[in-house]
Amino acid sequence: MGNTKKIETNNYTSENIKILEGLEAVRKRPGMYIGSTGVKGLHHMVWEIVDNSIDEAMAGYATHIIVTLKKNGAMMVEDDGRGIPVDIHPKTGKSTVETVLTVLHAGGKFDNDSYKISGGLHGVGASVTNALSKYMKVWVYRDNEEYFIEFNNGGTPVSQLKNNGKNNKTHGTIVEFFPDFTIMEEAPFDHSVIANRLQQLAYLNKNIKISFIDEQTGNKDEWLYEGGLKQYIEDLNKDKEKLTHNIIYGEVQQKVKAATSDEQYTITCEVSFQYNKTYTSSCYSFCNNINTLEGGTHEEGLKFALVKIINRFALEKKFIKEQDEKITKEDVLEGLTAIVSIKHPNPQYEGQTKGKLGNTEVRPFVNDVTSKIFEKFMLENPDDAILIIKKVLLAQEARKKSQDAKEATRRKSPFDSASLPGKLVDCSCKDRSLCELYIVEGDSAGGSAKMGRDSNFQAILPLRGKILNVEKAKTTKIFENAEIMALITGIGAGVNPEFDVSKIRYDRVIIMTDADVDGSHIRILLLTFFFRYMCPMIEQGHVYVAQPPLFKLICGKQFRYAFSDEELEKHKEEFKNSNFTVQRYKGLGEMDPDQLWETTMDPTTRFLKQITIDDAIKADQTFSFLMGDDADPRKEFIVKNAKFVKNIDV
């Protein structure tokens, strides 16, 4: 791969590989190890192999990682690290390569001298991917010699590790695997999912080159970011109007005493942020390359520092007085795009999903690092400092004005009907796990939905026209909007930052709009609002989009509904020797209550799309791109993709 630097491999041997337990029951219960046997689990198999290469890079041994989607659907991951040890492991009596790939929890991540920092699942990954593969082939390069081993049918070695002799490649590892679709759900690897994750890893690990080759399409992507998180912030803010030109950035590595022992850890903190002129915040945190979706002590340290420094400068510049109400965390987050990434040798997470970092020693460390770089920025850029303070004070003023409106969204009980919006037609069931709310476009469709629904568990909230675009609106304007207030009070769980998903009145919130351009626009406006102000509701799978049919084919007393042009053609083929008519639905209001129930609301026949967020950062960028102030990127996108549009309503 073009790297000729000399790497010492002699001190990385079988002694560095510790075994905790054997590989058991992975094929029987794959969900316990990779989350699911669906598309997410399929890609998780890739991440586990990639994580091993990233760990080599984080340890300073690899500089280039190549991921290849093969023509036959297999995945190959190559790095120029030290190469997996090939000597005989003293505990198993097998080669260390075979041990690492067939024994659960066998890996160098349990040996403190091999990996100071690790982001993978602590040695589980490679063996689990092997267990769930039809085949896995591994090439190891150490000291100019090539070694090869192959596994079939879930980790069974075809033969022992073989030395193929001298090779021009001095060091590194190549792993190729093909998923076992008798266990995994058969689905192709998604190019965009893989590319997004690899690009994110390149941002988080500056100066590491990551390549992605898709042999099926001929595409090749390559990422190498010398600026690390600074470049990440630049790209996240590219579709937003910046408040300040400069991006605040810093990276510090130092020894930190553990909170619960006398042990000291060498922790690296990299932080970057920039203010823009929007009214929402985009704050993301990572620990050892893992996106901590629920935040944790590193994110808390960042926010504490922002509040402290802005309050201090606001006082010094006499924007506020000592007796005035202090600026709060909510105020400083408005219009902020921020990322904090730490590398910690002993991370402690709350829960099983690694969603929230719990190490208490991280909070003061990140607070101190952020405070120093932010204070330095404010002193060296006084004009930017004033812009930031003014922006935060406007946010504080808006917060105060919107308090009354927010108070109106809080209800004493999830089923207290006293403050429900007048347009909401509620359901009679009191078990919210069974209840669903249909958000319907227009009074006409709302009328049909009310008459066609099952009133036991289905509630209807008709909206008048298009709701406010919250991506561009001030907070005060948002909470003065009647349609948005109806949504908030109807759902009954408040809004960010106080949104409580456990208080939602309906387990399913279903957006039901016309199958035309206006309907699509209303959907994206609603999803923008939910993403910015009720994001946990999407993250936990409570938001759906109803799919009304586009056509009704009628042949005598028989009829078929079609949800796409392709489906319509199949139905036409079915009745090709008969006389039939085709009705094109342009709006929900064209359906009578029985039709609406049968096609779009009956749980036994309807088709719902669940809205999910696999990558919150990518979703953030998409909403900013689609709904933000800068129209030029959208115009460019429309011009570039106009030729692909079909069946547009004009």
Side-chain angles (χ1 to χ4, degrees):
M1 297 188 315
N3 186 343
T4 58
K5 71 172 183 176
K6 178 64 176 173
I7 287 184
E8 294 293 331
T9 58
N10 293 334
N11 61 349
Y12 181 44
T13 68
S14 61
E15 294 297 324
N16 301 114
I17 304 299
K18 308 301 180 186
I19 300 173
L20 299 188
E21 61 182 71
L23 180 62
E24 297 173 357
V26 178
R27 288 172 69 82
K28 188 174 288 187
R29 296 186 179 88
M32 291 177 61
Y33 299 90
I34 58 168
S36 79
T37 56
V39 173
K40 269 191 174 182
L42 187 69
H43 289 88
H44 198 97
M45 292 172 69
V46 183
W47 309 149
E48 294 298 356
I49 304 301
V50 171
D51 279 347
N52 290 339
S53 296
I54 288 290
D55 288 339
E56 276 288 284
M58 288 167 64
Y61 299 109
T63 61
H64 191 188
I65 298 166
I66 301 174
V67 179
T68 304
L69 174 54
K70 309 282 285 184
K71 281 187 177 179
N72 68 346
M75 291 298 307
M76 178 184 280
V77 180
E78 178 178 0
D79 68 58
D80 58 352
R82 291 168 292 180
I84 304 171
V86 295
D87 53 336
I88 298 299
H89 196 281
K91 189 168 182 178
T92 64
K94 301 174 183 177
S95 70
T96 306
V97 176
E98 183 178 336
T99 300
V100 165
L101 295 169
T102 58
V103 180
L104 194 64
H105 289 308
K109 299 168 192 180
F110 295 102
D111 180 84
N112 290 333
D113 295 326
S114 301
Y115 292 105
K116 300 297 183 186
I117 304 293
S118 171
L121 284 179
H122 307 294
V124 171
S127 57
V128 168
T129 299
N130 193 11
L132 298 174
S133 294
K134 184 178 180 181
Y135 73 78
M136 177 181 278
K137 300 176 182 179
V138 182
W139 295 264
V140 175
Y141 301 89
R142 290 173 68 95
D143 303 318
N144 290 104
E145 292 191 324
E146 179 186 89
Y147 299 83
F148 175 77
I149 189 168
E150 182 176 0
F151 305 89
N152 279 347
N153 301 320
T156 303
V158 175
S159 62
Q160 293 183 340
L161 182 71
K162 183 170 69 170
N163 187 338
N164 289 338
K166 291 294 180 181
N167 192 282
N168 292 331
K169 187 175 170 63
T170 57
H171 49 81
T173 304
I174 301 174
V175 177
E176 179 184 327
F177 72 91
F178 189 93
D180 186 345
F181 290 120
T182 64
I183 296 175
M184 305 300 293
E185 293 176 21
E186 189 158 4
F189 287 106
D190 189 318
H191 179 104
S192 63
V193 170
I194 296 170
N196 290 341
R197 175 58 178 158
L198 295 180
Q199 183 180 21
Q200 185 180 79
L201 287 169
Y203 282 124
L204 294 166
N205 299 276
K206 59 185 177 182
N207 296 319
I208 295 174
K209 186 177 181 180
I210 301 179
S211 304
F212 178 35
I213 301 166
D214 188 339
E215 291 184 352
Q216 297 176 348
T217 62
N219 289 340
K220 180 177 179 179
D221 298 299
E222 217 158 65
W223 304 278
L224 189 154
Y225 297 110
E226 295 178 356
L229 295 191
K230 191 172 184 178
Q231 285 180 264
Y232 207 170
I233 293 292
E234 189 177 324
D235 285 353
L236 285 174
N237 268 349
K238 68 181 178 182
D239 295 321
K240 299 172 183 175
E241 190 178 355
K242 286 73 171 177
L243 182 70
T244 60
H245 176 72
N246 295 311
I247 295 173
I248 303 154
Y249 174 82
E251 183 179 18
V252 174
Q253 183 182 80
Q254 69 181 50
K255 284 192 174 182
V256 177
K257 183 180 176 298
T260 56
S261 69
D262 292 330
E263 190 174 359
Q264 285 197 329
Y265 302 124
T266 299
I267 306 176
T268 301
C269 170
E270 189 180 5
V271 61
S272 188
F273 53 97
Q274 182 184 33
Y275 277 93
N276 55 68
K277 294 184 180 180
T278 70
Y279 303 102
T280 57
S281 70
S282 304
C283 190
Y284 303 104
S285 57
F286 296 84
C287 178
N288 298 351
N289 296 319
I290 296 170
N291 187 190
T292 41
L293 295 171
E294 298 170 43
T297 51
H298 50 345
E299 195 170 307
E300 290 166 6
L302 167 72
K303 293 173 181 177
F304 287 162
L306 294 175
V307 172
K308 177 176 67 179
I309 297 301
I310 291 176
N311 268 304
R312 182 190 301 168
F313 273 81
L315 276 168
E316 289 177 1
K317 302 290 183 184
K318 302 192 185 312
F319 281 95
I320 60 173
K321 297 176 182 177
E322 198 67 54
Q323 64 269 25
D324 290 344
E325 180 186 338
K326 293 295 184 285
I327 291 162
T328 68
K329 180 175 70 175
E330 187 178 342
D331 303 328
V332 304
L333 291 180
E334 186 175 292
L336 177 73
T337 301
I339 299 178
V340 57
S341 173
I342 70 158
K343 307 288 172 64
H344 195 301
N346 188 27
Q348 305 295 321
Y349 298 98
E350 295 180 15
Q352 296 297 313
T353 60
K354 295 190 177 182
K356 189 173 184 180
L357 186 69
N359 298 71
T360 53
E361 72 274 2
V362 168
R363 190 185 296 109
F365 172 53
V366 175
N367 187 346
D368 184 57
V369 170
T370 307
S371 296
K372 286 176 180 175
I373 65 167
F374 193 24
E375 184 175 39
K376 184 173 183 287
F377 174 86
M378 299 283 268
L379 289 169
E380 292 177 353
N381 302 273
D383 291 342
D384 284 350
I386 289 171
L387 286 174
I388 290 171
I389 293 167
K390 286 183 175 179
K391 164 80 173 173
V392 171
L393 289 174
L394 283 173
Q396 183 189 53
E397 183 183 349
R399 172 176 58 82
K400 291 176 181 177
K401 287 181 179 178
S402 64
Q403 278 308 109
D404 290 342
K406 283 188 178 182
E407 284 297 326
T409 71
R410 299 188 182 97
R411 306 225 310 280
K412 295 176 182 178
S413 161
F415 299 101
D416 174 18
S417 61
S419 58
L420 286 174
K423 294 189 293 183
L424 175 69
V425 181
D426 211 355
C427 55
S428 57
C429 180
K430 299 302 180 185
D431 182 353
R432 63 180 165 212
S433 68
L434 303 175
C435 297
E436 51 190 41
L437 172 66
Y438 271 85
I439 301 170
V440 187
E441 171 192 355
D443 290 333
S444 176
S448 291
K450 289 173 192 175
M451 290 187 284
R453 70 182 178 135
D454 185 327
S455 61
N456 179 47
F457 67 96
Q458 291 178 324
I460 308 296
L461 179 61
L463 296 180
R464 186 180 302 164
K466 296 176 181 178
I467 73 162
L468 194 68
N469 179 3
V470 301
E471 192 73 17
K472 298 193 287 188
K474 291 184 178 181
T475 310
T476 46
K477 192 174 180 182
I478 290 169
F479 292 110
E480 289 170 357
N481 183 272
E483 302 302 309
I484 286 178
M485 289 301 294
L487 281 169
I488 296 170
T489 53
I491 291 168
V495 290
N496 288 342
E498 298 153 2
F499 180 77
D500 184 352
V501 73
S502 69
K503 293 182 179 178
I504 58 174
R505 301 182 68 246
Y506 310 94
D507 186 68
R508 291 170 296 282
V509 176
I510 303 166
I511 300 169
M512 186 165 68
T513 60
D514 290 344
D516 59 11
V517 173
D518 282 339
S520 297
H521 191 203
I522 291 169
R523 280 198 301 276
I524 193 66
L525 287 168
L526 285 165
L527 290 173
T528 303
F529 171 69
F530 289 146
F531 180 75
R532 293 302 185 194
Y533 287 90
M534 299 181 178
C535 196
M537 194 167 70
I538 301 179
E539 291 173 337
Q540 296 186 29
H542 296 287
V543 180
Y544 296 80
V545 170
Q547 296 292 293
L550 294 174
F551 307 97
K552 182 180 183 181
L553 186 147
I554 305 166
C555 181
K557 293 185 177 180
Q558 297 185 71
F559 60 87
R560 300 284 188 272
Y561 291 106
F563 294 84
S564 66
D565 290 318
E566 292 76 17
E567 196 174 353
L568 176 63
E569 291 305 314
K570 287 181 182 178
H571 294 326
K572 284 182 177 179
E573 186 66 23
E574 181 185 350
F575 294 103
K576 65 181 179 181
N577 296 322
S578 307
N579 291 324
F580 60 80
T581 58
V582 176
Q583 180 182 355
R584 168 74 160 95
Y585 290 114
K586 288 201 171 183
L588 297 169
E590 294 181 20
M591 296 186 194
D592 61 39
D594 289 338
Q595 286 178 320
L596 195 57
W597 165 257
E598 183 179 355
T599 62
T600 319
M601 301 183 74
D602 183 351
T604 62
T605 58
R606 70 187 178 189
F607 180 51
L608 298 180
K609 284 186 179 178
Q610 187 179 43
I611 305 300
T612 60
I613 303 176
D614 291 326
D615 185 345
I617 297 177
K618 200 69 182 176
D620 189 336
Q621 288 177 291
T622 302
F623 279 113
S624 296
F625 171 77
L626 290 173
M627 310 303 290
D629 283 313
D630 191 355
D632 289 338
R634 288 195 292 277
K635 289 178 183 175
E636 184 181 333
F637 176 83
I638 290 168
V639 170
K640 186 178 177 181
N641 293 278
K643 60 185 177 182
F644 302 115
V645 175
K646 296 179 181 179
N647 301 323
I648 189 167
D649 289 312
V650 293

